[in-house]
Amino acid sequence: MNIKCIAIDDEPMALEIISSFCQRHGNIELTVFTNPIAGIEQVKKIKPNILFLDIEMEDINGRDLARDLPHEVMLIFTTAYAQYALDGFELNAIDFLHKPFSYARFEKAVQKAIELQTLQQLSVQPTFTDEYITLKVEYKNTNIQLKDILYIESMDNYVRIHLTSQPTLTSQMSLKTLQELLPEEKFIRVHKSFVVPIYRIASYTSKEILLYNGIKIPVGRSYSKYLKDKNSKMA
């Protein structure tokens, strides 16, 4: 199955290099654009697997284009300006190719994108729409929708619930007690201090989890095997 890619760069030579690397890799269907506006419109239309995007272009900055990408598109920045690396990762780019980059570096970035997208496709999608838990927050009973939970963090005798659409909430209870309120098939404890929704996990190692929004969560030694077993059952 071919990997659909789009490359946007106002320098034709840069696009030629990416094209030659894609041909060398094989199984990549590449479309190139020197016009960033036309390119980003096509990205939104066909939603390619990977977008190679330059940052410093004559008429527009790639960082501005990246703020409105379809969430399923794997973004790889390509630029001659190394100072933009931090901006790239803040915009959830999965990699940053500093020009001039080698084929080996290009291949590594593509492989990373393929692996992340495969995990995304295998991940359990949330089936809850209106499910919620009720916690006491600042002396008030507060309903928290499960689909809004990014991750949960323990701090001594309190838990902090990090959410997608509102500020973090804090409740006085143990992480174990809170975990018992959550559906076991949708949330997993990965550390003595962290619980995460399974479907938000983009990738993981024995030491760290990467969520789809770029947040990194540590994995406790005693939870590493359980995480691996859970994920294999999930797939």
Short mmCIF file of all heavy atoms in Angstrom, two decimals, residues 60-110:
data_model
loop_
_atom_site.label_atom_id
_atom_site.label_comp_id
_atom_site.label_asym_id
_atom_site.label_seq_id
_atom_site.Cartn_x
_atom_site.Cartn_y
_atom_site.Cartn_z
N ILE A 60 4.80 33.14 3.05
CA ILE A 60 4.10 32.70 4.25
C ILE A 60 5.02 31.83 5.10
O ILE A 60 5.98 31.24 4.60
CB ILE A 60 2.82 31.92 3.87
CG1 ILE A 60 1.88 31.79 5.06
CG2 ILE A 60 3.18 30.55 3.29
CD1 ILE A 60 0.48 31.31 4.68
N ASN A 61 4.74 31.77 6.39
CA ASN A 61 5.52 30.94 7.29
C ASN A 61 4.82 29.61 7.50
O ASN A 61 3.61 29.56 7.77
CB ASN A 61 5.70 31.66 8.64
CG ASN A 61 6.72 31.00 9.53
OD1 ASN A 61 6.55 29.87 9.96
ND2 ASN A 61 7.82 31.70 9.78
N GLY A 62 5.57 28.52 7.36
CA GLY A 62 4.99 27.19 7.49
C GLY A 62 4.37 26.94 8.85
O GLY A 62 3.44 26.13 8.98
N ARG A 63 4.86 27.62 9.89
CA ARG A 63 4.28 27.44 11.22
C ARG A 63 2.81 27.87 11.23
O ARG A 63 1.98 27.27 11.92
CB ARG A 63 5.07 28.24 12.25
CG ARG A 63 6.47 27.72 12.51
CD ARG A 63 7.22 28.63 13.46
NE ARG A 63 7.37 29.95 12.88
CZ ARG A 63 7.87 31.01 13.52
NH1 ARG A 63 8.25 30.88 14.78
NH2 ARG A 63 7.99 32.18 12.93
N ASP A 64 2.49 28.93 10.48
CA ASP A 64 1.10 29.39 10.43
C ASP A 64 0.22 28.38 9.71
O ASP A 64 -0.92 28.13 10.11
CB ASP A 64 1.03 30.75 9.72
CG ASP A 64 1.79 31.83 10.48
OD1 ASP A 64 1.80 31.78 11.72
OD2 ASP A 64 2.37 32.72 9.82
N LEU A 65 0.75 27.77 8.66
CA LEU A 65 -0.01 26.75 7.93
C LEU A 65 -0.26 25.52 8.80
O LEU A 65 -1.30 24.89 8.73
CB LEU A 65 0.73 26.33 6.66
CG LEU A 65 0.94 27.39 5.59
CD1 LEU A 65 1.75 26.81 4.44
CD2 LEU A 65 -0.40 27.92 5.07
N ALA A 66 0.73 25.20 9.64
CA ALA A 66 0.66 23.97 10.44
C ALA A 66 -0.39 24.04 11.54
O ALA A 66 -0.79 23.00 12.08
CB ALA A 66 2.03 23.68 11.05
N ARG A 67 -0.85 25.22 11.87
CA ARG A 67 -1.81 25.35 12.98
C ARG A 67 -3.20 24.86 12.62
O ARG A 67 -4.05 24.69 13.49
CB ARG A 67 -1.88 26.81 13.43
CG ARG A 67 -0.55 27.34 13.95
CD ARG A 67 -0.66 28.77 14.44
NE ARG A 67 0.66 29.36 14.62
CZ ARG A 67 1.45 29.14 15.67
NH1 ARG A 67 1.02 28.35 16.63
NH2 ARG A 67 2.64 29.71 15.76
N ASP A 68 -3.45 24.62 11.33
CA ASP A 68 -4.81 24.26 10.92
C ASP A 68 -4.82 22.99 10.08
O ASP A 68 -5.56 22.87 9.12
CB ASP A 68 -5.40 25.44 10.11
CG ASP A 68 -6.90 25.29 9.93
OD1 ASP A 68 -7.55 24.67 10.78
OD2 ASP A 68 -7.43 25.80 8.91
N LEU A 69 -3.96 22.03 10.46
CA LEU A 69 -3.87 20.78 9.70
C LEU A 69 -4.88 19.75 10.22
O LEU A 69 -5.21 19.75 11.41
CB LEU A 69 -2.47 20.18 9.81
CG LEU A 69 -1.32 20.92 9.15
CD1 LEU A 69 -0.01 20.19 9.42
CD2 LEU A 69 -1.55 21.06 7.66
N PRO A 70 -5.37 18.87 9.34
CA PRO A 70 -6.17 17.73 9.83
C PRO A 70 -5.34 16.93 10.83
O PRO A 70 -4.14 16.71 10.62
CB PRO A 70 -6.44 16.93 8.55
CG PRO A 70 -6.30 17.92 7.43
CD PRO A 70 -5.24 18.88 7.87
N HIS A 71 -5.94 16.49 11.92
CA HIS A 71 -5.19 15.87 13.01
C HIS A 71 -4.53 14.56 12.60
O HIS A 71 -3.53 14.16 13.18
CB HIS A 71 -6.11 15.64 14.22
CG HIS A 71 -7.09 14.52 14.02
ND1 HIS A 71 -8.29 14.68 13.37
CD2 HIS A 71 -7.03 13.21 14.37
CE1 HIS A 71 -8.94 13.54 13.34
NE2 HIS A 71 -8.20 12.62 13.94
N GLU A 72 -5.06 13.88 11.57
CA GLU A 72 -4.50 12.59 11.20
C GLU A 72 -3.26 12.69 10.31
O GLU A 72 -2.59 11.69 10.05
CB GLU A 72 -5.56 11.72 10.49
CG GLU A 72 -6.09 12.30 9.19
CD GLU A 72 -7.36 13.10 9.38
OE1 GLU A 72 -7.44 13.88 10.34
OE2 GLU A 72 -8.29 12.94 8.56
N VAL A 73 -2.94 13.89 9.83
CA VAL A 73 -1.77 14.09 8.97
C VAL A 73 -0.51 14.17 9.82
O VAL A 73 -0.42 14.97 10.76
CB VAL A 73 -1.93 15.36 8.12
CG1 VAL A 73 -0.65 15.62 7.30
CG2 VAL A 73 -3.14 15.26 7.20
N MET A 74 0.49 13.35 9.49
CA MET A 74 1.77 13.37 10.20
C MET A 74 2.65 14.48 9.63
O MET A 74 3.01 14.44 8.44
CB MET A 74 2.47 12.02 10.08
CG MET A 74 1.69 10.88 10.71
SD MET A 74 1.63 11.03 12.51
CE MET A 74 0.32 9.88 12.91
N LEU A 75 2.98 15.46 10.44
CA LEU A 75 3.72 16.64 9.99
C LEU A 75 5.21 16.48 10.23
O LEU A 75 5.66 16.19 11.35
CB LEU A 75 3.20 17.88 10.73
CG LEU A 75 4.00 19.17 10.54
CD1 LEU A 75 3.99 19.61 9.07
CD2 LEU A 75 3.43 20.28 11.43
N ILE A 76 6.00 16.69 9.16
CA ILE A 76 7.46 16.70 9.27
C ILE A 76 7.94 18.04 8.71
O ILE A 76 7.75 18.33 7.52
CB ILE A 76 8.11 15.54 8.49
CG1 ILE A 76 7.65 14.19 9.06
CG2 ILE A 76 9.63 15.65 8.52
CD1 ILE A 76 8.15 12.99 8.26
N PHE A 77 8.53 18.86 9.55
CA PHE A 77 9.07 20.14 9.09
C PHE A 77 10.40 19.92 8.39
O PHE A 77 11.22 19.10 8.81
CB PHE A 77 9.26 21.11 10.26
CG PHE A 77 8.02 21.88 10.63
CD1 PHE A 77 7.52 21.84 11.91
CD2 PHE A 77 7.38 22.68 9.69
CE1 PHE A 77 6.39 22.56 12.26
CE2 PHE A 77 6.24 23.40 10.03
CZ PHE A 77 5.75 23.34 11.31
N THR A 78 10.63 20.67 7.31
CA THR A 78 11.91 20.67 6.61
C THR A 78 12.37 22.12 6.49
O THR A 78 11.68 22.93 5.87
CB THR A 78 11.78 20.05 5.20
OG1 THR A 78 10.87 20.82 4.42
CG2 THR A 78 11.28 18.62 5.28
N THR A 79 13.51 22.45 7.07
CA THR A 79 13.96 23.83 7.07
C THR A 79 15.46 23.93 7.25
O THR A 79 16.08 23.03 7.82
CB THR A 79 13.25 24.64 8.17
OG1 THR A 79 13.70 26.00 8.15
CG2 THR A 79 13.53 24.04 9.54
N ALA A 80 16.01 25.02 6.78
CA ALA A 80 17.45 25.27 6.95
C ALA A 80 17.72 26.00 8.26
O ALA A 80 18.87 26.22 8.61
CB ALA A 80 17.97 26.10 5.78
N TYR A 81 16.67 26.35 8.99
CA TYR A 81 16.82 27.17 10.19
C TYR A 81 16.58 26.32 11.44
O TYR A 81 15.44 26.04 11.81
CB TYR A 81 15.87 28.35 10.16
CG TYR A 81 16.08 29.23 8.94
CD1 TYR A 81 15.33 29.02 7.78
CD2 TYR A 81 17.04 30.23 8.95
CE1 TYR A 81 15.54 29.81 6.66
CE2 TYR A 81 17.26 31.03 7.83
CZ TYR A 81 16.50 30.81 6.69
OH TYR A 81 16.72 31.60 5.59
N ALA A 82 17.66 25.93 12.10
CA ALA A 82 17.57 25.02 13.25
C ALA A 82 16.83 25.64 14.42
O ALA A 82 16.29 24.93 15.26
CB ALA A 82 18.97 24.60 13.68
N GLN A 83 16.79 26.97 14.49
CA GLN A 83 16.14 27.62 15.64
C GLN A 83 14.64 27.38 15.68
O GLN A 83 13.98 27.64 16.69
CB GLN A 83 16.41 29.13 15.64
CG GLN A 83 15.79 29.90 14.48
CD GLN A 83 16.75 30.06 13.31
OE1 GLN A 83 17.63 29.22 13.12
NE2 GLN A 83 16.60 31.13 12.55
N TYR A 84 14.08 26.83 14.59
CA TYR A 84 12.65 26.57 14.56
C TYR A 84 12.28 25.19 15.11
O TYR A 84 11.11 24.83 15.15
CB TYR A 84 12.11 26.68 13.14
CG TYR A 84 12.05 28.08 12.61
CD1 TYR A 84 12.65 28.41 11.39
CD2 TYR A 84 11.39 29.08 13.31
CE1 TYR A 84 12.59 29.71 10.89
CE2 TYR A 84 11.32 30.38 12.82
CZ TYR A 84 11.93 30.68 11.61
OH TYR A 84 11.87 31.96 11.12
N ALA A 85 13.26 24.43 15.53
CA ALA A 85 12.99 23.06 15.97
C ALA A 85 11.98 23.02 17.11
O ALA A 85 11.04 22.23 17.11
CB ALA A 85 14.28 22.37 16.38
N LEU A 86 12.15 23.87 18.11
CA LEU A 86 11.24 23.89 19.26
C LEU A 86 9.83 24.25 18.83
O LEU A 86 8.86 23.64 19.27
CB LEU A 86 11.74 24.87 20.32
CG LEU A 86 10.89 24.97 21.60
CD1 LEU A 86 10.81 23.60 22.28
CD2 LEU A 86 11.46 26.00 22.54
N ASP A 87 9.70 25.24 17.93
CA ASP A 87 8.37 25.62 17.43
C ASP A 87 7.70 24.44 16.75
O ASP A 87 6.49 24.22 16.88
CB ASP A 87 8.49 26.77 16.42
CG ASP A 87 8.94 28.06 17.08
OD1 ASP A 87 8.66 28.24 18.26
OD2 ASP A 87 9.59 28.87 16.39
N GLY A 88 8.50 23.65 16.02
CA GLY A 88 7.95 22.51 15.31
C GLY A 88 7.33 21.51 16.24
O GLY A 88 6.22 21.03 16.00
N PHE A 89 8.00 21.17 17.32
CA PHE A 89 7.47 20.18 18.24
C PHE A 89 6.30 20.73 19.04
O PHE A 89 5.41 19.99 19.43
CB PHE A 89 8.58 19.67 19.15
CG PHE A 89 9.57 18.81 18.41
CD1 PHE A 89 10.88 19.20 18.27
CD2 PHE A 89 9.18 17.61 17.82
CE1 PHE A 89 11.79 18.41 17.57
CE2 PHE A 89 10.07 16.82 17.11
CZ PHE A 89 11.38 17.23 16.98
N GLU A 90 6.28 22.03 19.27
CA GLU A 90 5.13 22.63 19.95
C GLU A 90 3.88 22.57 19.08
O GLU A 90 2.76 22.59 19.57
CB GLU A 90 5.43 24.08 20.33
CG GLU A 90 6.42 24.21 21.49
CD GLU A 90 6.75 25.65 21.84
OE1 GLU A 90 6.36 26.55 21.05
OE2 GLU A 90 7.39 25.87 22.88
N LEU A 91 4.08 22.48 17.77
CA LEU A 91 2.96 22.36 16.83
C LEU A 91 2.65 20.91 16.50
O LEU A 91 1.98 20.60 15.52
CB LEU A 91 3.28 23.13 15.54
CG LEU A 91 3.27 24.65 15.68
CD1 LEU A 91 3.90 25.31 14.46
CD2 LEU A 91 1.86 25.16 15.89
N ASN A 92 3.19 19.99 17.34
CA ASN A 92 2.93 18.56 17.21
C ASN A 92 3.53 17.95 15.94
O ASN A 92 3.02 16.94 15.43
CB ASN A 92 1.43 18.25 17.27
CG ASN A 92 0.86 18.52 18.64
OD1 ASN A 92 1.56 18.46 19.64
ND2 ASN A 92 -0.42 18.83 18.70
N ALA A 93 4.58 18.56 15.42
CA ALA A 93 5.32 17.92 14.33
C ALA A 93 5.97 16.66 14.89
O ALA A 93 6.48 16.66 16.01
CB ALA A 93 6.38 18.86 13.77
N ILE A 94 5.97 15.58 14.12
CA ILE A 94 6.55 14.35 14.63
C ILE A 94 8.06 14.30 14.41
O ILE A 94 8.76 13.50 15.03
CB ILE A 94 5.90 13.11 14.00
CG1 ILE A 94 6.19 13.05 12.50
CG2 ILE A 94 4.41 13.08 14.26
CD1 ILE A 94 5.98 11.69 11.93
N ASP A 95 8.54 15.17 13.52
CA ASP A 95 9.99 15.22 13.30
C ASP A 95 10.36 16.55 12.66
O ASP A 95 9.50 17.30 12.17
CB ASP A 95 10.47 14.05 12.43
CG ASP A 95 11.87 13.58 12.82
OD1 ASP A 95 12.64 14.40 13.37
OD2 ASP A 95 12.18 12.40 12.59
N PHE A 96 11.67 16.83 12.64
CA PHE A 96 12.21 18.10 12.16
C PHE A 96 13.46 17.78 11.36
O PHE A 96 14.46 17.33 11.92
CB PHE A 96 12.53 18.98 13.37
CG PHE A 96 13.07 20.35 13.01
CD1 PHE A 96 12.22 21.44 12.92
CD2 PHE A 96 14.42 20.54 12.80
CE1 PHE A 96 12.71 22.70 12.61
CE2 PHE A 96 14.94 21.79 12.50
CZ PHE A 96 14.07 22.87 12.40
N LEU A 97 13.40 17.97 10.05
CA LEU A 97 14.54 17.68 9.18
C LEU A 97 15.27 18.98 8.88
O LEU A 97 14.72 19.88 8.24
CB LEU A 97 14.07 17.02 7.89
CG LEU A 97 13.45 15.63 8.04
CD1 LEU A 97 12.96 15.11 6.68
CD2 LEU A 97 14.42 14.65 8.68
N HIS A 98 16.51 19.06 9.37
CA HIS A 98 17.32 20.26 9.19
C HIS A 98 18.10 20.16 7.87
O HIS A 98 18.93 19.28 7.71
CB HIS A 98 18.27 20.42 10.39
CG HIS A 98 19.09 21.66 10.35
ND1 HIS A 98 20.31 21.79 10.98
CD2 HIS A 98 18.87 22.85 9.74
CE1 HIS A 98 20.79 22.99 10.77
NE2 HIS A 98 19.94 23.65 10.02
N LYS A 99 17.80 21.04 6.94
CA LYS A 99 18.46 21.04 5.64
C LYS A 99 19.94 21.40 5.79
O LYS A 99 20.27 22.30 6.58
CB LYS A 99 17.80 22.03 4.68
CG LYS A 99 16.34 21.75 4.37
CD LYS A 99 15.80 22.88 3.50
CE LYS A 99 14.31 22.71 3.21
NZ LYS A 99 13.78 23.86 2.44
N PRO A 100 20.81 20.79 5.00
CA PRO A 100 20.57 19.65 4.10
C PRO A 100 20.56 18.35 4.91
O PRO A 100 21.45 18.12 5.71
CB PRO A 100 21.75 19.70 3.15
CG PRO A 100 22.86 20.30 3.96
CD PRO A 100 22.21 21.26 4.92
N PHE A 101 19.57 17.52 4.72
CA PHE A 101 19.47 16.27 5.46
C PHE A 101 19.78 15.09 4.54
O PHE A 101 19.58 15.15 3.33
CB PHE A 101 18.08 16.10 6.10
CG PHE A 101 16.94 16.37 5.17
CD1 PHE A 101 16.42 15.37 4.36
CD2 PHE A 101 16.36 17.64 5.11
CE1 PHE A 101 15.36 15.62 3.51
CE2 PHE A 101 15.30 17.89 4.25
CZ PHE A 101 14.79 16.88 3.45
N SER A 102 20.27 14.02 5.13
CA SER A 102 20.66 12.83 4.39
C SER A 102 19.45 11.93 4.12
O SER A 102 18.39 12.09 4.75
CB SER A 102 21.71 12.05 5.17
OG SER A 102 21.14 11.54 6.37
N TYR A 103 19.63 10.97 3.24
CA TYR A 103 18.57 10.00 3.00
C TYR A 103 18.29 9.18 4.25
O TYR A 103 17.13 8.89 4.57
CB TYR A 103 18.93 9.05 1.85
CG TYR A 103 17.91 7.94 1.71
CD1 TYR A 103 16.65 8.19 1.18
CD2 TYR A 103 18.19 6.65 2.18
CE1 TYR A 103 15.70 7.18 1.08
CE2 TYR A 103 17.24 5.64 2.09
CZ TYR A 103 16.00 5.92 1.54
OH TYR A 103 15.05 4.93 1.46
N ALA A 104 19.34 8.82 5.00
CA ALA A 104 19.16 8.03 6.22
C ALA A 104 18.29 8.78 7.22
O ALA A 104 17.42 8.19 7.86
CB ALA A 104 20.51 7.69 6.84
N ARG A 105 18.51 10.09 7.33
CA ARG A 105 17.71 10.89 8.27
C ARG A 105 16.27 11.00 7.77
O ARG A 105 15.32 10.95 8.56
CB ARG A 105 18.34 12.27 8.41
CG ARG A 105 17.65 13.16 9.43
CD ARG A 105 17.81 12.61 10.84
NE ARG A 105 17.06 13.43 11.80
CZ ARG A 105 15.78 13.26 12.06
NH1 ARG A 105 15.09 12.28 11.44
NH2 ARG A 105 15.17 14.02 12.94
N PHE A 106 16.10 11.17 6.47
CA PHE A 106 14.78 11.22 5.86
C PHE A 106 14.03 9.91 6.10
O PHE A 106 12.86 9.91 6.50
CB PHE A 106 14.93 11.49 4.36
CG PHE A 106 13.68 11.27 3.55
CD1 PHE A 106 12.76 12.30 3.39
CD2 PHE A 106 13.43 10.05 2.93
CE1 PHE A 106 11.60 12.10 2.63
CE2 PHE A 106 12.28 9.84 2.18
CZ PHE A 106 11.37 10.88 2.04
N GLU A 107 14.70 8.80 5.87
CA GLU A 107 14.08 7.48 6.04
C GLU A 107 13.63 7.27 7.48
O GLU A 107 12.56 6.71 7.74
CB GLU A 107 15.06 6.39 5.62
CG GLU A 107 14.47 5.00 5.64
CD GLU A 107 15.47 3.95 5.20
OE1 GLU A 107 16.66 4.09 5.55
OE2 GLU A 107 15.06 2.99 4.52
N LYS A 108 14.44 7.72 8.43
CA LYS A 108 14.10 7.58 9.84
C LYS A 108 12.83 8.35 10.17
O LYS A 108 11.96 7.86 10.90
CB LYS A 108 15.25 8.08 10.71
CG LYS A 108 15.03 7.94 12.19
CD LYS A 108 16.25 8.41 12.99
CE LYS A 108 16.01 8.28 14.49
NZ LYS A 108 17.20 8.77 15.27
N ALA A 109 12.70 9.55 9.62
CA ALA A 109 11.51 10.37 9.86
C ALA A 109 10.27 9.72 9.26
O ALA A 109 9.20 9.70 9.89
CB ALA A 109 11.72 11.77 9.29
N VAL A 110 10.39 9.20 8.05
CA VAL A 110 9.26 8.54 7.39
C VAL A 110 8.83 7.31 8.17
O VAL A 110 7.63 7.08 8.38
CB VAL A 110 9.62 8.17 5.94
CG1 VAL A 110 8.55 7.26 5.33
CG2 VAL A 110 9.78 9.43 5.10
#
